[in-house]
Amino acid sequence: MNGGLLVAGTTSDAGKSVVTAGICRWLVRQGVKVAPFKAQNMSLNSFVTREGAEIGRAQAMQAQACRVEPTALMNPVLLKPGGERSSQVVLLGRPVGEMTARGYHGGRQERLLGTVLDSLAELRGTYDAVICEGAGSPAEINLRRTDIVNMGIARGAGLPVLIVGDIDRGGVFASFFGTVALLSPEDQALVAGFLVNKFRGDVSLLEPGLDMLHGLTGRRTYGVLPFRHGLGIDEEDGLRVSLRGTVRESAVAPPVGEDVLRVAVCAVPLMSNFTDVDALAAEPGVVVRFVDRPEELADADLVIVPGTRGTVRALEWLRERGLAEGLARRVAEGRPVLGVCGGFQLLGEHIEDDVESRAGHVDGLGLLPVRVRFAREKTLTRPVGEALGERVEGYEIHHGVAEVLGGAPFLDGCRVGQTWGTHWHGSLESDGFRRAFLREVAAAAGRRFVPAPDTSFAALREEQLDLLGDLIEQHADTDALWRLIESGAPPGLPFMPPGAPA
């Protein structure tokens, strides 16, 4: 078997990442050696592979669904927004510069197509099947000439295409029809059919519409996936606060002790790797919320200042909102604060930044004895260490180099009283350390909170991935899906006018 499939969507957030992960988990349970792929990803949620390459967290999660180690080949182009109009371009896991959207789509993107196709070909030479994820919509007619992530990659690699639509938003039939009708004849020949996502209710009421859609387009629907709470995965959104499904949708499990523990996460601009708090949200009795007002810090037992792609901008935002004063009061009162990556940097005494913001010397909040200098070379590592008597694993993604001038050592950062700072993302996924840290926080906050003794974040992730695989196995036509992956798009698919504009 040397199969492949491109999972496209009618819109952003239609469920492409979830469906891709579900298909990957279903295939691996059938004994297929499978890998994920996304040619170009725009995300502030990224991950570091074993070889020290930076890729989107969604592809790292999909690799976990495949039960393989993630590599740079799985996400050869990563765009990390630095504002509304510019992004850092990460190529095969390494940053190669900043670029505006106009500059990127004006020529750079087309030149990357060869790299993207070579990466996909290498994966297809190693695995039985590669399940590719598109981005946004394949019918962005203004971007068709420079497309390397949707139909551009499908044409270049001869991949069949499955279009996912979110029926919960409404208008899914028009979206399916319009998406196909705005594609060129050669692109339409690759679009095999549709997959309905997030359906609520009786499927029999939907079936007449699916039959009519087949009659109008000549393309079948490969499944109707029901709406499920808590199936969110590591998201890609770069310019808005978007919480992972388990944080946003799940009910808080009852505490093991007498009290809950309240965690407030400062929703700083250009927030990166907010998935760091997922492990806290998975703990019974821990309530996680994202905040942007100083009064929302008052009843929090722990405040987290998360990573950000704009440390200086986040610092200004905290001051403008009055959150900086709120953090200073907490520190003076000995109440727990944790800064991660950019959040750690801005807790320090001062920042020298001629790289990210080019602001030069900027005073930090002065809550930790740390000075930060931004280096042009990005640190990308997977450190292992010990804290609070427990083994800790993490990953680092940052330009800022911290000089720690005092306090007690804490991972690569420091701790002063109940103020903690580290560059390590993902440290709270280490179960023993997370429990020890929460015990410290609870004691400092005066809460009779007890961490659950048996919460395994890795096991919870595996359960979530199996649920995604179950959705595909139980609600998609897996025989037809198998044929599609193995043999490509069915021949003789009809053209739907008007097609793509010249």
Side-chain angles (χ1 to χ4, degrees), residues 137-146 178-179 181-184 499-502:
S137 163
E140 305 289 357
I141 55 178
N142 56 314
L143 302 177
R144 181 180 184 274
R145 182 179 60 84
T146 59
T179 297
L182 281 175
L183 298 178
S184 66

Side-chain angles (χ1 to χ4, degrees), residues 80 82 86-88 95-99 309-313 345 351-362 372-379 398-401:
K80 301 195 73 175
S86 67
S87 295
Q88 183 181 64
V96 294
E98 295 278 337
M99 187 163 289
R309 173 84 163 85
T311 302
V312 171
R313 179 175 167 185
Q345 295 167 6
I351 297 168
E352 291 288 342
D353 182 10
D354 296 318
V355 176
E356 190 176 77
S357 68
R358 298 180 175 85
H361 180 95
V362 178
V372 176
R373 175 185 55 81
F374 273 69
R376 297 199 176 278
E377 188 72 19
K378 182 184 283 191
T379 298
H398 54 91
H399 284 280
V401 179

Side-chain angles (χ1 to χ4, degrees), residues 173 199 202-216 221:
F173 291 115
F199 179 73
D202 186 345
V203 176
S204 66
L205 299 177
L206 184 66
E207 287 171 349
L210 300 179
D211 291 339
M212 286 185 274
L213 182 67
H214 184 265
L216 289 166
T221 297

Side-chain angles (χ1 to χ4, degrees), residues 317-481:
W317 181 87
L318 289 169
R319 286 176 168 141
E320 290 167 359
R321 297 249 171 178
L323 288 160
E325 293 178 7
L327 289 169
R329 281 195 298 272
R330 287 187 65 89
V331 171
E333 295 165 359
R335 302 176 67 196
V337 174
L338 170 65
V340 180
C341 200
F344 164 45
Q345 295 167 6
L346 59 81
L347 293 180
E349 296 173 357
H350 72 250
I351 297 168
E352 291 288 342
D353 182 10
D354 296 318
V355 176
E356 190 176 77
S357 68
R358 298 180 175 85
H361 180 95
V362 178
D363 289 333
L365 297 184
L367 304 179
L368 284 174
V370 174
R371 295 174 182 171
V372 176
R373 175 185 55 81
F374 273 69
R376 297 199 176 278
E377 188 72 19
K378 182 184 283 191
T379 298
L380 295 168
T381 63
R382 290 274 292 273
V384 177
E386 185 176 302
L388 302 179
E390 299 286 347
R391 186 176 187 272
V392 187
E393 295 184 32
Y395 57 99
E396 296 185 54
I397 306 169
H398 54 91
H399 284 280
V401 179
E403 180 187 5
V404 178
L405 304 173
F410 175 61
L411 302 177
D412 71 329
C414 66
R415 169 190 182 182
V416 176
Q418 289 299 318
T419 306
W420 317 63
T422 177
H423 275 126
W424 290 24
H425 294 289
S427 62
L428 293 168
E429 295 179 18
S430 298
D431 297 327
F433 166 70
R434 182 178 66 254
R435 287 192 276 270
F437 178 68
L438 290 176
R439 281 193 290 269
E440 288 252 357
V441 169
R447 296 287 186 187
R448 290 171 293 184
F449 169 86
V450 179
D454 55 355
T455 301
S456 167
F457 187 69
L460 289 171
R461 286 217 163 214
E462 277 296 301
E463 289 176 14
Q464 189 180 44
L465 293 170
D466 276 331
L467 286 173
L468 298 181
D470 292 344
L471 276 179
I472 298 299
E473 194 165 329
Q474 296 168 10
H475 300 283
D477 186 339
T478 52
D479 289 339
L481 199 56

Side-chain angles (χ1 to χ4, degrees), residues 137-402:
S137 163
E140 305 289 357
I141 55 178
N142 56 314
L143 302 177
R144 181 180 184 274
R145 182 179 60 84
T146 59
D147 173 41
I148 65 170
V149 65
N150 288 305
M151 301 312 298
I153 194 74
R155 287 193 306 274
L159 294 173
V161 179
L162 187 67
I163 299 178
V164 178
D166 178 358
I167 196 170
D168 197 48
R169 292 182 173 187
V172 74
F173 291 115
S175 298
F176 281 146
F177 183 92
T179 297
V180 178
L182 281 175
L183 298 178
S184 66
E186 59 265 38
D187 287 350
Q188 288 193 24
L190 297 171
V191 176
F194 314 107
L195 188 74
V196 177
N197 192 28
K198 301 182 187 178
F199 179 73
R200 307 172 192 249
D202 186 345
V203 176
S204 66
L205 299 177
L206 184 66
E207 287 171 349
L210 300 179
D211 291 339
M212 286 185 274
L213 182 67
H214 184 265
L216 289 166
T217 67
R219 290 159 175 85
R220 58 167 300 168
T221 297
Y222 283 75
V224 178
L225 307 185
F227 189 98
R228 290 284 187 270
H229 285 283
L231 286 181
I233 58 172
D234 298 345
E235 297 197 37
E236 300 175 353
D237 306 283
L239 296 175
R240 65 182 178 92
V241 176
S242 178
L243 315 186
R244 192 172 69 91
T246 52
V247 177
R248 180 175 60 241
E249 296 171 350
S250 64
V252 177
V256 175
E258 296 180 46
D259 289 342
V260 299
L261 209 62
R262 296 172 177 83
V263 179
V265 184
C266 296
V268 296
L270 297 174
M271 192 189 322
S272 62
N273 288 69
F274 49 79
T275 47
D276 284 338
V277 303
D278 287 352
L280 293 179
E283 280 286 345
V286 175
V287 182
V288 177
R289 68 183 189 273
F290 285 69
V291 304
D292 60 4
R293 295 180 298 178
E295 57 268 27
E296 294 177 298
L297 304 183
D299 67 343
D301 302 306
L302 168 66
V303 173
I304 295 178
V305 187
T308 171
R309 173 84 163 85
T311 302
V312 171
R313 179 175 167 185
L315 185 57
E316 294 169 349
W317 181 87
L318 289 169
R319 286 176 168 141
E320 290 167 359
R321 297 249 171 178
L323 288 160
E325 293 178 7
L327 289 169
R329 281 195 298 272
R330 287 187 65 89
V331 171
E333 295 165 359
R335 302 176 67 196
V337 174
L338 170 65
V340 180
C341 200
F344 164 45
Q345 295 167 6
L346 59 81
L347 293 180
E349 296 173 357
H350 72 250
I351 297 168
E352 291 288 342
D353 182 10
D354 296 318
V355 176
E356 190 176 77
S357 68
R358 298 180 175 85
H361 180 95
V362 178
D363 289 333
L365 297 184
L367 304 179
L368 284 174
V370 174
R371 295 174 182 171
V372 176
R373 175 185 55 81
F374 273 69
R376 297 199 176 278
E377 188 72 19
K378 182 184 283 191
T379 298
L380 295 168
T381 63
R382 290 274 292 273
V384 177
E386 185 176 302
L388 302 179
E390 299 286 347
R391 186 176 187 272
V392 187
E393 295 184 32
Y395 57 99
E396 296 185 54
I397 306 169
H398 54 91
H399 284 280
V401 179

